[in-house]
Amino acid sequence: MRPSGTEPGDFVEYDMDLYEAQRRSAMRAALEASRAELSAELGVELQVASEGNELVLVDAEGVRYRASLNPRGRLVLTAARKASLL
């Protein structure tokens, strides 16, 4: 997201909603791509779902894996139970 064709002192406006939508789309694609492999490794069927503004992987027992991006842009999955984090 770098401005191009601007002069020093120009006001540059970014479409943060578009940026956030692209980020969520990339995260969903990464989760969908790895869902089958994770399901096979864990022995349970996982589904990609939205929980508020977060993307999560959900199994039949309700265990969720929350998805986030680290500062380097790598997808991080955190295993969580309903009451507390693991």
Side-chain angles (χ1 to χ4, degrees), residues 4-79:
S4 61
T6 59
E7 298 294 324
D10 285 352
F11 180 76
V12 178
E13 200 172 311
Y14 294 109
D15 186 349
M16 294 307 289
D17 291 333
L18 177 62
Y19 177 75
E20 184 66 22
Q22 290 173 337
R23 185 185 71 83
R24 284 182 55 84
S25 176
M27 283 178 63
R28 182 174 292 278
L31 285 175
E32 287 290 351
S34 60
R35 182 183 59 80
E37 185 178 334
L38 287 169
S39 292
E41 183 177 321
L42 297 170
V44 295
E45 185 62 32
L46 296 171
Q47 298 298 322
V48 177
S50 294
E51 187 176 85
N53 288 333
E54 293 185 321
L55 290 174
V56 295
L57 288 172
V58 183
D59 69 10
E61 296 177 8
V63 176
R64 291 178 172 88
Y65 300 88
R66 299 187 186 284
S68 62
L69 292 177
N70 72 8
R72 293 180 175 238
R74 298 187 99 178
L75 181 67
V76 177
L77 294 179
T78 304

